[in-house]
Amino acid sequence: WRPSSLAAWRVDGNASDASTGRVQALRAELRGAAADLTCRCGGRARGGSMCARAALAARAGLAPGRVSPHHNRSTPGARRPTVPRSTASGNGVLRTPHSGYHFDGLPRSWFEGWYTKVDLPRGEGSFCIIYSVFDPGLPFSFKKGVGAQVLGPGEAYVWQSSTETDRFWGAKKELSLGYAFTQHAVPPQGSCVPAEEFFAKVAEGFQFSSTQHQGRIIDDSTAPVIEGNQRVETAEWDYAIKPLCGWGGDSSKEQLSCAGWLSSLPVFEPHWQVCMAHGLATGTLKLGDQVYEFEDAPAYTEKNWGGGFPTKWWWVQCNSFEGENELSVTTTGAKRGVVVLPGVEEEVAILGITYQGDFIPFVPAAGKTRSGEVEESVVRWKVAPWGSWLVEGKNSMYSALVEGSTQNGLHNEASASLRCPTEEKGMIPLCRDTFSGSLRVRVWRHSGGGAHPNVTSPCDVCEIEGINGPTGRGELIIDARSSQGALEVGGGPWSTTWESVAEVKEPLRSVGAAPVDMNFIDSILPDELKIPGL
């Protein structure tokens, strides 16, 4: 792997040829037995014989049974485990702004993506599932399509895509979406079907909401193999989600837009939102023949949307810390375009820490909310092409330092690549990820507040070499470590270490601080003018 070749991949012709026949056979059997796949008998017909659905699923290797993780299941007719379904979340219903589908139906370039991650128990690693819809309003766009990708332990990877976007649906005001690559029966669009009915209706596809997640995909054997990833033929998942904290703290707190009220306008490319900073997931994942079961596993969800893409970025996320069950950290930085300033890019970053239900944000521009003000902070970073992430945030109340590293920091170290949106080539491998990063997070509370930091002055808490030594930190309130840090670099070029300070360009910096309540505005607009996704 080389930093200059993030978007490169190799084609393994033997692997592709060998898997094509098996995948086609799986699909043929699945489609041919559609009439039998509405069975509700739990895998057994009358008299104890195996029903058609269970037999076919067992032959295809697509239905996980209650078996131990990493078990190579070959026993036919294993029953799908019962997944508890819950709609409760914390002290009430947790809904984060911009969880809905933002596409407004206009014929323009558009991308929207969803990312969700679960940390598995017993040191088994983590997995993420990513959905994307590209140019749904441009029928002749070469980028048009819907994609689903799964990355799991051992760099196991599955990717399926289709150019047909008409079957994709997303709720406009809540996190709820779905798609059928192929289907047995036609599920209603606009809402998730009951989880126990999903696999009877959809042969290949997914549905995802704030409280449930089901899906099954078969790898596209004609797609190029991504170097470093381990291709597997199938992935299937079924789990319930209990959201605990969003971007703003637990459900008793006001949930915030990551970029304030300007998130409702097409002024940044792209927009980004954490939908669930911390939650608990219970269910199963199957990658090829490997089955993973998990109960109350830490889960996380975010999304992005818009008509453009960052040219370079980094990202750190973790909500699995040693001895800390109520801590979640997300920070990211990017070089992005500004729609109202054509040809202008800005380097921005954000850091959010959720701790015991409370929220400590570090954002580069001030904002006003219904419950108060979000203070402007200094956010700066020093991120290597691979192996080291150092991020620091400071405002008058708090200082924070996030230190991430890979095991060896080597360019040839084990990691995986994910497909990302690009204007020129559509979805291509363009970022490098690990789920096993070493992470340390520290937060200090300043005694008696203090003067607002000046972004042009050196930071007195940052340990990044060449800036300043640590002095005057105040009270240390968080010092947590994890070996399950999710670390990423993307875009480019990444020939040298990227060191910068976040800065939102004017006039958006000042405009964003205005007290605008987009939820109130949306509530008085007629239905045809309501803000998509808010």
Side-chain angles (χ1 to χ4, degrees), residues 280-291:
L280 301 176
T282 298
T284 59
L285 166 74
K286 184 177 183 187
L287 284 171
D289 290 328
Q290 304 298 313
V291 180

Side-chain angles (χ1 to χ4, degrees), residues 62-143:
L62 291 176
R66 184 158 294 280
V67 295
S68 300
H70 306 295
H71 177 69
N72 188 336
R73 187 187 62 77
S74 58
T75 305
R79 299 171 66 94
R80 183 183 305 281
T82 301
V83 177
R85 311 296 173 188
S86 173
T87 58
S89 57
N91 299 324
V93 177
L94 180 72
R95 183 192 177 280
T96 305
H98 298 287
S99 294
Y101 185 35
H102 288 76
F103 181 56
D104 54 15
L106 297 177
R108 56 174 173 142
S109 181
W110 183 263
F111 173 85
E112 197 151 352
W114 297 260
Y115 174 103
T116 188
K117 178 175 71 73
V118 174
D119 296 327
L120 296 168
R122 299 177 294 275
E124 294 165 350
S126 305
F127 71 88
C128 72
I129 301 174
I130 304 173
Y131 303 124
S132 56
V133 57
F134 219 140
D135 285 357
L138 298 177
F140 302 108
S141 170
F142 74 93
K143 297 173 292 186

Side-chain angles (χ1 to χ4, degrees), residues 307-330:
F309 319 101
T311 56
K312 184 179 181 179
W313 70 91
W314 53 265
W315 175 80
V316 177
Q317 196 284 321
C318 185
N319 53 326
S320 294
F321 288 91
E322 300 165 9
E324 293 285 1
N325 296 325
E326 298 181 75
L327 174 62
S328 177
V329 176
T330 304

Side-chain angles (χ1 to χ4, degrees), residues 378 380 392 394 453-462 464 466-469 471 501:
V378 174
R380 66 177 71 208
E392 179 242 343
K394 183 184 178 184
N454 187 329
V455 297
T456 62
S457 63
C459 174
D460 63 357
V461 302
C462 188
I464 298 176
I467 296 182
N468 250 10
T471 59
V501 179

Side-chain angles (χ1 to χ4, degrees), residues 5-9 157 224-226 417-420 427-431:
S5 62
L6 272 167
W9 61 77
Y157 182 76
V225 175
I226 302 175
S417 295
L418 293 168
R419 284 176 166 87
C420 303
M427 295 292 291
I428 62 173
L430 198 62
C431 67

Side-chain angles (χ1 to χ4, degrees), residues 214-337:
Q214 289 78 37
R216 177 195 291 137
I217 62 174
I218 297 179
D219 190 72
D220 182 357
S221 59
T222 64
V225 175
I226 302 175
E227 188 171 5
N229 294 9
Q230 302 300 315
R231 170 180 276 173
V232 295
E233 290 185 354
T234 61
E236 183 179 299
W237 55 97
D238 180 14
Y239 59 90
I241 307 165
K242 182 178 181 180
L244 297 176
C245 293
W247 192 258
D250 63 27
S251 58
S252 67
K253 315 292 194 311
E254 180 185 359
Q255 300 303 305
L256 308 175
S257 301
C258 288
W261 68 270
L262 290 177
S263 293
S264 299
L265 303 177
V267 295
F268 302 122
E269 297 293 357
H271 288 288
W272 176 79
Q273 179 70 45
V274 173
C275 301
M276 182 179 70
H278 182 55
L280 301 176
T282 298
T284 59
L285 166 74
K286 184 177 183 187
L287 284 171
D289 290 328
Q290 304 298 313
V291 180
Y292 303 90
E293 293 186 349
F294 45 91
E295 182 176 357
D296 289 342
Y300 168 87
T301 300
E302 69 178 42
K303 66 172 296 186
N304 58 4
W305 69 96
F309 319 101
T311 56
K312 184 179 181 179
W313 70 91
W314 53 265
W315 175 80
V316 177
Q317 196 284 321
C318 185
N319 53 326
S320 294
F321 288 91
E322 300 165 9
E324 293 285 1
N325 296 325
E326 298 181 75
L327 174 62
S328 177
V329 176
T330 304
T331 181
T332 186
K335 182 180 291 186
R336 70 180 181 190

Side-chain angles (χ1 to χ4, degrees), residues 421-479:
T422 67
E423 183 65 35
E424 298 81 13
K425 298 180 180 180
M427 295 292 291
I428 62 173
L430 198 62
C431 67
R432 187 181 185 189
D433 285 68
T434 181
F435 292 141
S436 56
S438 297
L439 199 64
R440 184 182 185 186
V441 176
R442 285 177 284 175
V443 179
W444 296 266
R445 179 165 45 213
H446 303 165
S447 57
H452 190 280
N454 187 329
V455 297
T456 62
S457 63
C459 174
D460 63 357
V461 302
C462 188
E463 292 186 343
I464 298 176
E465 182 182 357
I467 296 182
N468 250 10
T471 59
R473 282 199 173 108
E475 178 190 4
L476 181 65
I477 60 174
I478 300 173
D479 188 355

